Amino acid sequence: MQHLFHHDGEAALAAALRQRPLLAFDFDGTLAPIVARPEDARISQAVSTRLKALAAQLPLAIVTGRTVDDVRGRLGFEPRYIVGSHGAEDPLVPAAAAALAAALEPVRERLRARQAQLADAGVVIEDKGASLALHYRLARQRAQALALIEEVLAPPDAAWHLFGGKMVVNVVPRDAPDKASAVHGLVAHCGAGCAVFAGDDVNDEPVFESAPPHWLTIRIGRDERHSAARFFLDSPSETAMLLERMLVLLCAPERP
Ligand SMILES: [Mg+2]
């Protein structure tokens, strides 16, 4: 992976913008810095203003593990698309979310049965309908909290898919769409020539892995050396610089 702000990355960004891309961004760790309490996550005014300006020129999507309603209130503008719950809450398939939420009922029962123990260990359960998130960032003993989560969810059920994230274990129905199916669906829906996608976590890798070569994929952070993204940026503050760079390139006159 190369840094996006080197020569090859600059050329790839300019090439992607010439194809009238879908611009798609994860939220936490990509647009907004990771914070101890997920409810405190915010994007800066500069990021909000730049996203709004980009959304006036190109189709723009926020593709997040949060619920659609949760992230909508954190943006300061209305993007054309918001996909929530890691792809499971998709505006193009609105009926799917309710069925996916019902499929997680057995997981909720298991969590309810061990609720007090999980709370004592510092595990915060977030029910997002079509997905569940078990956060252990605030646990005093994170390794023990993670072991307890794994024990409560064992044995694994074929009907669910578990995947880790940054101090979180996510549970989604096995057949739920992921971020990759969501982004490919949006590209087709809006007739975009390609996608520019940035994300920072495990659930963003399916997008990187499934991207055709003319898409531009960017991993935020260097914590995953084996990421399938083509380029990386170091932090959400560099994402803010990327947004500004896109606006400059979109305003620049076409070279002969
Ligand atoms: Mg993220």
Side-chain angles (χ1 to χ4, degrees):
M1 260 196 316
Q2 287 181 286
H3 197 284
L4 181 66
F5 294 155
H6 285 171
H7 181 265
D8 288 352
E10 287 280 339
L13 177 60
L17 290 177
R18 282 194 293 270
Q19 298 175 66
R20 190 176 163 72
L22 168 78
L23 305 181
F25 302 94
D26 167 52
F27 184 78
D28 294 274
T30 299
L31 296 172
I34 301 275
V35 290
R37 296 172 188 275
E39 62 268 31
D40 295 336
R42 292 285 180 275
I43 55 173
S44 67
Q45 186 60 49
V47 166
S48 177
T49 304
R50 289 168 193 174
L51 286 171
K52 186 177 179 184
L54 287 166
Q57 299 191 56
L58 289 170
L60 190 143
I62 304 299
V63 186
T64 175
R66 291 177 183 263
T67 65
V68 170
D69 284 345
D70 177 319
V71 85
R72 178 176 279 134
R74 297 172 192 277
L75 297 173
F77 77 106
E78 183 70 34
R80 190 181 305 181
Y81 306 107
I82 303 177
V83 175
S85 276
H86 316 283
E89 198 185 343
D90 188 333
L92 301 185
V93 262
L100 294 168
L104 290 177
E105 205 44 51
V107 187
R108 293 187 183 93
E109 275 173 31
R110 280 202 203 185
L111 296 174
R112 272 195 293 271
R114 305 284 294 275
Q115 201 165 20
Q117 204 182 350
L118 286 162
D120 279 350
V123 176
V124 176
I125 301 169
E126 187 186 1
D127 190 339
K128 300 187 273 193
S131 69
L132 292 158
L134 310 177
H135 300 274
Y136 57 95
R137 183 176 295 275
L138 296 178
R140 286 179 303 279
Q141 304 284 341
R142 285 174 176 166
Q144 287 177 20
L146 176 58
L148 177 63
I149 291 169
E150 288 171 344
E151 185 223 315
V152 169
L153 295 177
D157 189 304
W160 325 324
H161 173 54
L162 300 184
F163 62 95
K166 293 181 174 169
M167 306 294 164
V168 64
V169 175
N170 299 289
V171 191
V172 296
R174 170 71 61 187
D175 50 1
D178 61 7
K179 286 192 178 191
S181 48
V183 174
H184 283 269
L186 291 176
V187 167
H189 182 260
C190 65
C194 70
V196 175
F197 178 76
D200 74 309
D201 211 343
V202 175
N203 60 349
D204 300 306
E205 287 295 327
V207 186
F208 303 148
E209 287 160 10
S210 66
H214 64 294
W215 286 23
L216 179 59
T217 52
I218 306 152
R219 173 102 183 189
I220 311 302
R222 306 190 196 205
D223 54 319
E224 178 48 84
R225 289 181 53 213
H226 302 294
S227 173
R230 274 172 70 199
F231 296 96
F232 72 90
L233 289 172
D234 276 311
S235 65
S237 28
E238 288 197 344
T239 310
M241 294 164 68
L242 165 64
L243 302 179
E244 181 62 27
R245 189 79 195 118
M246 286 178 173
L247 287 167
V248 169
L249 287 169
L250 287 168
C251 286
E254 286 286 326
R255 273 175 294 177

